[in-house]
Amino acid sequence: MASNEQTPVLEVEGLRTSFFTPDGEVKAVDGVDFSVSNNETLGIVGESGSGKSITSLSVMQLIQHPGKIVGGSIRLSGDDLLKKTKQQMAKYRGNRLSMIFQEPMTSLNPVFTVGHQVSEAVRIHKKLGKKAAWQEAIRMLTLVGIPAPEDRAKRYPHELSGGMRQRVMIAIALSCDPELLIADEPTTALDVTIQAQILELIKELQEKSGMAVLMITHDLGVIAETADKVVVMYAGEVVEQADVKTLFTRPLHPYTQGLMNAIPRHDIDLDELEMIPGTVPSPQNMPDGCRFAERCPYATDFCIENHPELASPSNNVEDENTSGQTRCWIYTDEWNGSNPTKGVAANQ
Amino acid sequence: MNDPLVVQYGRFLGDLLLFNLGESVRTGQPVIDIIAPRFFITVELALWGMVVAVTAGLFFGILSATYRNTLRDYGTMAIAVVGLSMPNFWLGLLLIYWFSIQLGWLPTSGWGTPAQVIMPAITMGTAGAAVIARMTRSSMLEVIDQDYVRTARAKGVKENLVIYKHAFRNAMIPVVTVIGLQFGYFLSGAVLTENVFAINGLGRLVVDAIGQRDFPVVQGTVIVLAVTFVFVNFLVDIAYRILNKRIELN
Ligand SMILES: Nc1ncnc2c1ncn2[C@@H]1O[C@H](COP(=O)(O)OP(=O)(O)OP(=O)(O)O)[C@@H](O)[C@H]1O
Ligand code: SF4
Ligand SMILES: [Mg+2]
């Protein structure tokens, strides 16, 4: 099953999701593009509030009122998900695409046994009977490395540790062999040794099934360890996109550079470290020009007035033929500010 | 009658254990024989009131929560406030006016046939329905944003089941307590309802007995109602414990 051929599983184009609050429209995700293929892990990084979770919930179509997907397209193996009815999407969720969440402590329903919660997904999608589904649940619990699964299946979530609960969540998510797994900060709430185990488990299961993984995180260490490609988000936009090696050796966007510079080691949580002075602009008064301008050491008047597009760099880089893209005027022919190569070079 | 008070009281308590509540000073009949048949009518009335209160309360509470902050939500909750504030004898009189006098659909009084049950049950149940609806709404709203509800959606559970299985199972725990308390109030609510609809239950009995200064009957009725109230609350406590056991440990 795990072939090395790669075809796009998830293709997101121009995704825009807004919240219609009494204070006006909050553009939480504002034109996001990315794609991820089978056997591939795409990492999404960015500060708190940059729109990572809203992006993944949009893909699942789990955005709740007053949020709404207002534009773009989301294709799963070629199927346009935004054209599906609610009923069709419910059939796909947990089946063709699954998601696990940051909070294993609260993500399981306290009044049902874990076995029930795993078998529920199987019963819905594989149309198995109660008994067969229970057997299948135990098989899944075994697969995700839960000791004494027959016994644990009969227990309630509060009887399990955080790490075990996240394993249960993974069992639920993978019980129907999805094409895509979205993991929204799956290890943030867990302690370090458990974190490594959970990431290892996801990797292992991916190798077995060949699924595509969307790994959302604050933690550049997690990115370095798991991702093949990376998308960096800032204020609802993608500001840089590259394969993981390129991103770490030659970050282009000043924001990405800031992230890398401020971090002596990879395993530091972005939110615990105020590495870049200033804050993300508030969604209510998003600047017209570059959204990072306020915090950017290279910002020019041109940057403040004009909004850059995500594009392959054609200026101020040595090797122009990489697959990476960035959203910054420095790397375009329009650039007329001071020569930033010092800053960029300092990173290489 | 000439014994000291303590001895009299002791005898009274002893009699109580044997269901001996004394005799009516009017008819000389044993009080327990007067109360027993009427007690079951009142319990039946209270149960029908409960059926109305619970079905309507849960239905409108869940509806309100799922359509939170929409016109449907505000409308339902406005009606609930009206239902809660309206004295139930007044509602009973209105119902009689509309359905019996104006439309002629339902009998004005009596007890026994299904047609005779409808209006008293609504009269009894409305205030309870309003309380339960408000409790259900706030309890559902607390639950509906929980991570595990999102998990249920994420694994493909249909929206109906998300609400009625995953959310409601959790939301119902505080609601059960309220329902139990309501049942206690229903027993006292029966007094007015029975008088409005001329139903021969305990409520009517006690009002008549007060009028006739039939002290043993009044006392017997009060004791029976109090014991029932305590017993129902005891049942609610047990139900609550069973429901809550799994969460308490968390
Ligand atoms: N219910 C809501 N109402 C209004 N705005 C919202 C709502 N939910 C999210 N947002 C907006 O969406 C933005 C992005 O939120 P999102 O949860 O995607 O951030 P994130 O990148 O996942 O952050 P974190 O790292 O903290 O999880 C927030 O800054 C907020 O302005
Ligand atoms: S466009 Fe200008 S302000 Fe924005 S990141 Fe690039 S240099 Fe900085
Ligand atoms: Mg998030």
Side-chain angles (χ1 to χ4, degrees):
Chain A
M1 183 114 167
S3 83
N4 289 325
E5 263 172 60
Q6 298 209 323
T7 50
V9 170
L10 178 72
E11 297 161 281
V12 172
E13 270 169 35
L15 177 67
R16 293 192 297 119
T17 302
S18 290
F19 288 87
F20 295 90
T21 68
D23 304 332
E25 182 181 355
V26 174
K27 297 179 175 177
V29 174
D30 197 7
V32 161
D33 305 281
F34 59 82
S35 81
V36 53
S37 302
N38 55 331
N39 282 313
E40 188 179 56
T41 300
L42 173 71
I44 301 186
V45 259
E47 268 168 294
S48 193
S50 54
K52 305 181 299 292
S53 294
I54 302 301
T55 302
S56 41
L57 290 171
S58 299
V59 172
M60 296 292 289
Q61 288 184 39
L62 288 176
I63 298 289
Q64 296 295 306
H65 183 82
K68 210 171 171 255
I69 298 174
V70 288
S73 76
I74 300 170
R75 283 194 305 280
L76 184 70
S77 304
D79 268 352
D80 190 340
L81 293 186
L82 294 183
K83 296 227 166 69
K84 302 292 171 194
T85 62
K86 278 186 184 162
Q87 288 78 3
Q88 282 171 315
M89 265 319 286
K91 280 196 186 130
Y92 288 173
R93 278 196 290 266
N95 190 13
R96 295 188 59 190
L97 72 169
S98 286
M99 182 160 176
I100 56 178
F101 303 94
Q102 175 172 346
E103 257 310 324
M105 303 313 269
T106 53
S107 289
L108 291 168
N109 196 322
V111 302
F112 299 108
T113 61
V114 298
H116 178 96
Q117 297 187 59
V118 179
S119 63
E120 189 178 21
V122 184
R123 283 168 69 184
I124 295 170
H125 298 300
K126 291 191 180 165
K127 306 271 183 284
L128 290 184
K130 227 177 181 165
K131 259 214 174 116
W134 187 265
Q135 283 314 312
E136 184 61 18
I138 287 172
R139 191 183 72 79
M140 284 311 298
L141 291 174
T142 317
L143 191 68
V144 297
I146 288 184
E150 313 244 340
D151 171 60
R152 293 290 162 88
K154 291 183 212 132
R155 307 207 167 237
Y156 290 92
H158 70 260
E159 299 175 86
L160 271 59
S161 69
M164 283 299 148
R165 286 190 222 183
Q166 198 60 300
R167 284 175 194 263
V168 173
M169 283 298 293
I170 295 173
I172 293 173
L174 301 188
S175 60
C176 298
D177 229 334
E179 295 152 55
L180 171 74
L181 173 69
I182 303 177
D184 188 355
E185 312 201 24
T187 59
T188 308
L190 304 172
D191 64 49
V192 186
T193 45
I194 311 290
Q195 278 188 18
Q197 290 172 10
I198 295 288
L199 293 177
E200 187 54 39
L201 174 66
I202 294 175
K203 190 122 230 166
E204 221 178 271
L205 295 169
Q206 180 182 29
E207 273 159 20
K208 274 188 204 152
S209 73
M211 66 188 174
V213 173
L214 208 58
M215 178 67 68
I216 289 158
T217 178
H218 279 132
D219 186 337
L220 285 170
V222 171
I223 293 289
E225 228 163 85
T226 61
D228 302 305
K229 298 192 304 190
V230 187
V231 158
V232 180
M233 285 190 70
Y234 186 81
E237 290 181 329
V238 175
V239 294
E240 180 154 6
Q241 165 203 312
D243 64 74
V244 70
K245 201 160 158 245
T246 313
L247 191 88
F248 278 96
T249 53
R250 195 211 53 190
L252 292 175
H253 198 280
Y255 176 63
T256 320
Q257 291 177 5
L259 297 184
M260 302 285 172
N261 274 346
I263 293 172
R265 287 168 29 214
H266 290 330
D267 56 348
I268 285 184
D269 194 301
L270 295 192
D271 270 0
E272 286 168 7
L273 212 87
E274 271 196 47
M275 71 303 279
I276 305 165
T279 50
V280 189
S282 91
Q284 276 89 355
N285 43 35
M286 220 27 117
D288 297 331
C290 174
R291 294 181 179 177
F292 187 60
E294 217 175 284
R295 300 166 76 183
C296 178
Y298 313 116
T300 63
D301 288 346
F302 186 77
C303 298
I304 293 166
E305 274 152 32
N306 298 282
H307 191 83
E309 292 304 316
L310 187 66
S312 306
S314 62
N315 184 16
N316 283 321
V317 276
E318 279 133 38
D319 50 336
E320 289 180 16
N321 47 2
T322 67
S323 58
Q325 290 187 312
T326 188
R327 187 188 293 277
C328 172
W329 290 117
I330 294 176
Y331 306 99
T332 66
D333 302 326
E334 268 95 337
W335 181 249
N336 57 3
S338 61
N339 191 345
T341 26
K342 260 193 285 160
V344 177
N347 263 291
Q348 291 179 341
Chain B
M1 270 303 198
N2 298 323
D3 294 331
L5 200 63
V6 191
V7 178
Q8 281 191 41
Y9 188 59
R11 194 185 304 133
F12 166 74
L13 288 181
D15 285 347
L16 211 56
L17 288 178
L18 302 169
F19 295 103
N20 182 357
L21 298 170
E23 287 95 37
S24 161
V25 294
R26 289 274 153 181
T27 62
Q29 254 184 306
V31 170
I32 190 74
D33 291 349
I34 302 176
I35 289 179
R38 293 169 168 241
F39 173 73
F40 292 108
I41 289 179
T42 298
V43 168
E44 200 188 336
L45 175 61
L47 283 175
W48 281 115
M50 281 290 284
V51 169
V52 170
V54 171
T55 19
L58 292 183
F59 177 79
F60 288 110
I62 293 174
L63 186 84
S64 240
T66 37
Y67 291 96
R68 131 176 58 167
N69 297 340
T70 63
L71 217 57
R72 238 184 274 205
D73 177 18
Y74 296 143
T76 311
M77 283 304 117
I79 294 171
V81 172
V82 174
L84 190 59
S85 351
M86 188 184 294
N88 69 0
F89 67 88
W90 176 241
L91 176 65
L93 292 176
L94 283 181
L95 290 175
I96 290 175
Y97 179 74
W98 288 328
F99 293 103
S100 305
I101 297 170
Q102 293 291 317
L103 297 168
W105 289 352
L106 295 168
T108 55
S109 61
W111 187 250
T113 68
Q116 284 172 325
V117 171
I118 295 174
M119 288 194 298
I122 293 174
T123 306
M124 288 275 286
T126 299
V131 174
I132 293 171
R134 278 153 52 115
M135 189 68 209
T136 305
R137 176 182 185 270
S138 65
S139 182
M140 279 297 280
L141 284 184
E142 245 169 62
V143 163
I144 232 161
D145 288 327
Q146 295 290 318
D147 292 343
Y148 55 77
V149 172
R150 186 182 56 189
T151 303
R153 292 197 178 100
K155 67 181 171 187
V157 178
K158 291 202 190 85
E159 190 59 28
N160 276 344
L161 273 182
V162 170
I163 299 294
Y164 289 98
K165 182 178 168 187
H166 287 267
F168 183 62
R169 270 290 173 93
N170 286 279
M172 147 174 128
I173 292 162
V175 175
V176 167
T177 323
V178 172
I179 291 176
L181 285 176
Q182 287 302 310
F183 191 80
Y185 293 128
F186 278 5
L187 292 173
S188 45
V191 175
L192 286 167
T193 308
E194 285 172 9
N195 281 288
V196 170
F197 290 99
I199 297 167
N200 276 322
L202 278 189
R204 220 166 160 223
L205 175 69
V206 79
V207 169
D208 289 348
I210 291 169
Q212 297 165 345
R213 308 277 189 277
D214 194 343
F215 182 67
V217 172
V218 175
Q219 178 181 263
T221 313
V222 169
I223 289 172
V224 166
L225 286 178
V227 169
T228 314
F229 189 91
V230 170
F231 180 67
V232 167
N233 277 313
F234 173 69
L235 290 184
V236 172
D237 266 2
I238 292 177
Y240 187 76
R241 249 156 236 253
I242 292 171
L243 272 173
N244 206 25
K245 197 172 57 188
R246 297 156 187 171
I247 291 158
E248 190 171 84
L249 299 162
N250 217 345

PDB file of all heavy atoms in Angstrom, chain A residues 253-254 290 292-293 296 298-299 303 308 328-330 335, ligand 2:
ATOM      1  N   HIS A 253      11.615  34.503   4.293  1.00  0.00           N
ATOM      2  CA  HIS A 253      10.796  35.582   4.826  1.00  0.00           C
ATOM      3  C   HIS A 253      11.379  36.090   6.151  1.00  0.00           C
ATOM      4  O   HIS A 253      11.797  35.287   6.989  1.00  0.00           O
ATOM      5  CB  HIS A 253       9.372  35.079   5.058  1.00  0.00           C
ATOM      6  CG  HIS A 253       8.364  36.173   5.193  1.00  0.00           C
ATOM      7  ND1 HIS A 253       8.195  36.862   6.369  1.00  0.00           N
ATOM      8  CD2 HIS A 253       7.508  36.715   4.305  1.00  0.00           C
ATOM      9  CE1 HIS A 253       7.254  37.783   6.199  1.00  0.00           C
ATOM     10  NE2 HIS A 253       6.819  37.708   4.938  1.00  0.00           N
ATOM     11  N   PRO A 254      11.415  37.406   6.329  1.00  0.00           N
ATOM     12  CA  PRO A 254      11.969  37.941   7.578  1.00  0.00           C
ATOM     13  C   PRO A 254      11.292  37.346   8.822  1.00  0.00           C
ATOM     14  O   PRO A 254      11.943  37.185   9.847  1.00  0.00           O
ATOM     15  CB  PRO A 254      11.687  39.442   7.463  1.00  0.00           C
ATOM     16  CG  PRO A 254      11.656  39.701   6.002  1.00  0.00           C
ATOM     17  CD  PRO A 254      11.078  38.470   5.375  1.00  0.00           C
ATOM     18  N   CYS A 290       2.055  44.884   3.487  1.00  0.00           N
ATOM     19  CA  CYS A 290       2.573  43.656   4.098  1.00  0.00           C
ATOM     20  C   CYS A 290       2.152  43.596   5.560  1.00  0.00           C
ATOM     21  O   CYS A 290       2.307  44.544   6.305  1.00  0.00           O
ATOM     22  CB  CYS A 290       4.089  43.627   3.988  1.00  0.00           C
ATOM     23  SG  CYS A 290       4.798  42.229   4.879  1.00  0.00           S
ATOM     24  N   PHE A 292       3.366  41.981   7.913  1.00  0.00           N
ATOM     25  CA  PHE A 292       4.463  41.838   8.861  1.00  0.00           C
ATOM     26  C   PHE A 292       5.241  43.143   9.004  1.00  0.00           C
ATOM     27  O   PHE A 292       6.138  43.260   9.847  1.00  0.00           O
ATOM     28  CB  PHE A 292       5.386  40.699   8.399  1.00  0.00           C
ATOM     29  CG  PHE A 292       6.456  40.342   9.387  1.00  0.00           C
ATOM     30  CD1 PHE A 292       6.124  39.908  10.670  1.00  0.00           C
ATOM     31  CD2 PHE A 292       7.800  40.427   9.040  1.00  0.00           C
ATOM     32  CE1 PHE A 292       7.111  39.575  11.591  1.00  0.00           C
ATOM     33  CE2 PHE A 292       8.797  40.085   9.961  1.00  0.00           C
ATOM     34  CZ  PHE A 292       8.448  39.648  11.237  1.00  0.00           C
ATOM     35  N   ALA A 293       4.881  44.131   8.186  1.00  0.00           N
ATOM     36  CA  ALA A 293       5.683  45.360   8.082  1.00  0.00           C
ATOM     37  C   ALA A 293       5.991  45.993   9.444  1.00  0.00           C
ATOM     38  O   ALA A 293       7.120  46.426   9.690  1.00  0.00           O
ATOM     39  CB  ALA A 293       4.975  46.367   7.173  1.00  0.00           C
ATOM     40  N   CYS A 296       8.857  44.205  10.915  1.00  0.00           N
ATOM     41  CA  CYS A 296       9.936  43.753  10.036  1.00  0.00           C
ATOM     42  C   CYS A 296      11.099  44.736  10.038  1.00  0.00           C
ATOM     43  O   CYS A 296      10.908  45.938   9.852  1.00  0.00           O
ATOM     44  CB  CYS A 296       9.405  43.614   8.614  1.00  0.00           C
ATOM     45  SG  CYS A 296      10.674  43.125   7.432  1.00  0.00           S
ATOM     46  N   TYR A 298      13.253  45.174   7.822  1.00  0.00           N
ATOM     47  CA  TYR A 298      13.585  45.682   6.481  1.00  0.00           C
ATOM     48  C   TYR A 298      12.470  46.515   5.863  1.00  0.00           C
ATOM     49  O   TYR A 298      12.566  46.937   4.720  1.00  0.00           O
ATOM     50  CB  TYR A 298      13.890  44.517   5.526  1.00  0.00           C
ATOM     51  CG  TYR A 298      14.838  43.501   6.116  1.00  0.00           C
ATOM     52  CD1 TYR A 298      14.418  42.198   6.352  1.00  0.00           C
ATOM     53  CD2 TYR A 298      16.153  43.855   6.432  1.00  0.00           C
ATOM     54  CE1 TYR A 298      15.284  41.260   6.894  1.00  0.00           C
ATOM     55  CE2 TYR A 298      17.012  42.927   6.986  1.00  0.00           C
ATOM     56  CZ  TYR A 298      16.580  41.632   7.218  1.00  0.00           C
ATOM     57  OH  TYR A 298      17.427  40.728   7.754  1.00  0.00           O
ATOM     58  N   ALA A 299      11.390  46.720   6.610  1.00  0.00           N
ATOM     59  CA  ALA A 299      10.204  47.327   6.014  1.00  0.00           C
ATOM     60  C   ALA A 299      10.485  48.688   5.368  1.00  0.00           C
ATOM     61  O   ALA A 299      11.210  49.508   5.927  1.00  0.00           O
ATOM     62  CB  ALA A 299       9.124  47.482   7.077  1.00  0.00           C
ATOM     63  N   CYS A 303       6.555  48.598   1.223  1.00  0.00           N
ATOM     64  CA  CYS A 303       6.000  47.426   1.908  1.00  0.00           C
ATOM     65  C   CYS A 303       4.703  47.778   2.636  1.00  0.00           C
ATOM     66  O   CYS A 303       3.740  47.008   2.626  1.00  0.00           O
ATOM     67  CB  CYS A 303       6.971  46.890   2.956  1.00  0.00           C
ATOM     68  SG  CYS A 303       8.532  46.309   2.317  1.00  0.00           S
ATOM     69  N   PRO A 308       2.308  42.147  -0.662  1.00  0.00           N
ATOM     70  CA  PRO A 308       3.086  41.209  -1.492  1.00  0.00           C
ATOM     71  C   PRO A 308       2.313  39.910  -1.746  1.00  0.00           C
ATOM     72  O   PRO A 308       1.440  39.545  -0.971  1.00  0.00           O
ATOM     73  CB  PRO A 308       4.329  40.944  -0.649  1.00  0.00           C
ATOM     74  CG  PRO A 308       3.918  41.209   0.766  1.00  0.00           C
ATOM     75  CD  PRO A 308       2.825  42.222   0.720  1.00  0.00           C
ATOM     76  N   CYS A 328       7.142  38.241   0.165  1.00  0.00           N
ATOM     77  CA  CYS A 328       7.953  39.345   0.661  1.00  0.00           C
ATOM     78  C   CYS A 328       8.532  40.087  -0.539  1.00  0.00           C
ATOM     79  O   CYS A 328       8.996  39.472  -1.497  1.00  0.00           O
ATOM     80  CB  CYS A 328       9.081  38.801   1.538  1.00  0.00           C
ATOM     81  SG  CYS A 328      10.272  40.065   2.009  1.00  0.00           S
ATOM     82  N   TRP A 329       8.495  41.418  -0.470  1.00  0.00           N
ATOM     83  CA  TRP A 329       8.961  42.224  -1.597  1.00  0.00           C
ATOM     84  C   TRP A 329      10.454  42.085  -1.837  1.00  0.00           C
ATOM     85  O   TRP A 329      10.933  42.300  -2.947  1.00  0.00           O
ATOM     86  CB  TRP A 329       8.615  43.704  -1.384  1.00  0.00           C
ATOM     87  CG  TRP A 329       7.141  43.986  -1.496  1.00  0.00           C
ATOM     88  CD1 TRP A 329       6.327  44.463  -0.523  1.00  0.00           C
ATOM     89  CD2 TRP A 329       6.327  43.824  -2.668  1.00  0.00           C
ATOM     90  NE1 TRP A 329       5.044  44.593  -0.979  1.00  0.00           N
ATOM     91  CE2 TRP A 329       5.004  44.204  -2.308  1.00  0.00           C
ATOM     92  CE3 TRP A 329       6.564  43.374  -3.971  1.00  0.00           C
ATOM     93  CZ2 TRP A 329       3.950  44.169  -3.188  1.00  0.00           C
ATOM     94  CZ3 TRP A 329       5.500  43.333  -4.854  1.00  0.00           C
ATOM     95  CH2 TRP A 329       4.211  43.729  -4.468  1.00  0.00           C
ATOM     96  N   ILE A 330      11.210  41.728  -0.791  1.00  0.00           N
ATOM     97  CA  ILE A 330      12.669  41.632  -0.943  1.00  0.00           C
ATOM     98  C   ILE A 330      13.055  40.745  -2.121  1.00  0.00           C
ATOM     99  O   ILE A 330      13.980  41.039  -2.867  1.00  0.00           O
ATOM    100  CB  ILE A 330      13.318  41.061   0.346  1.00  0.00           C
ATOM    101  CG1 ILE A 330      13.142  42.037   1.506  1.00  0.00           C
ATOM    102  CG2 ILE A 330      14.789  40.755   0.127  1.00  0.00           C
ATOM    103  CD1 ILE A 330      13.674  41.499   2.830  1.00  0.00           C
ATOM    104  N   TRP A 335      11.805  45.269  -5.451  1.00  0.00           N
ATOM    105  CA  TRP A 335      12.496  45.671  -4.210  1.00  0.00           C
ATOM    106  C   TRP A 335      13.421  46.863  -4.456  1.00  0.00           C
ATOM    107  O   TRP A 335      14.260  46.841  -5.326  1.00  0.00           O
ATOM    108  CB  TRP A 335      13.295  44.503  -3.649  1.00  0.00           C
ATOM    109  CG  TRP A 335      14.002  44.851  -2.364  1.00  0.00           C
ATOM    110  CD1 TRP A 335      15.340  44.977  -2.183  1.00  0.00           C
ATOM    111  CD2 TRP A 335      13.390  45.117  -1.093  1.00  0.00           C
ATOM    112  NE1 TRP A 335      15.616  45.302  -0.881  1.00  0.00           N
ATOM    113  CE2 TRP A 335      14.436  45.398  -0.186  1.00  0.00           C
ATOM    114  CE3 TRP A 335      12.070  45.156  -0.650  1.00  0.00           C
ATOM    115  CZ2 TRP A 335      14.208  45.711   1.148  1.00  0.00           C
ATOM    116  CZ3 TRP A 335      11.842  45.460   0.672  1.00  0.00           C
ATOM    117  CH2 TRP A 335      12.891  45.732   1.564  1.00  0.00           C
TER     118      TRP A 335
HETATM  119  S1  SF4 C   2       7.449  42.764   2.350  1.00  0.00           S
HETATM  120 FE1  SF4 C   2       8.634  44.273   3.375  1.00  0.00          FE
HETATM  121  S2  SF4 C   2       7.768  44.440   5.381  1.00  0.00           S
HETATM  122 FE2  SF4 C   2       6.963  42.594   4.496  1.00  0.00          FE
HETATM  123  S3  SF4 C   2       8.322  41.052   5.179  1.00  0.00           S
HETATM  124 FE3  SF4 C   2       9.132  41.673   3.241  1.00  0.00          FE
HETATM  125  S4  SF4 C   2      10.557  43.280   3.719  1.00  0.00           S
HETATM  126 FE4  SF4 C   2       9.352  42.957   5.553  1.00  0.00          FE
END
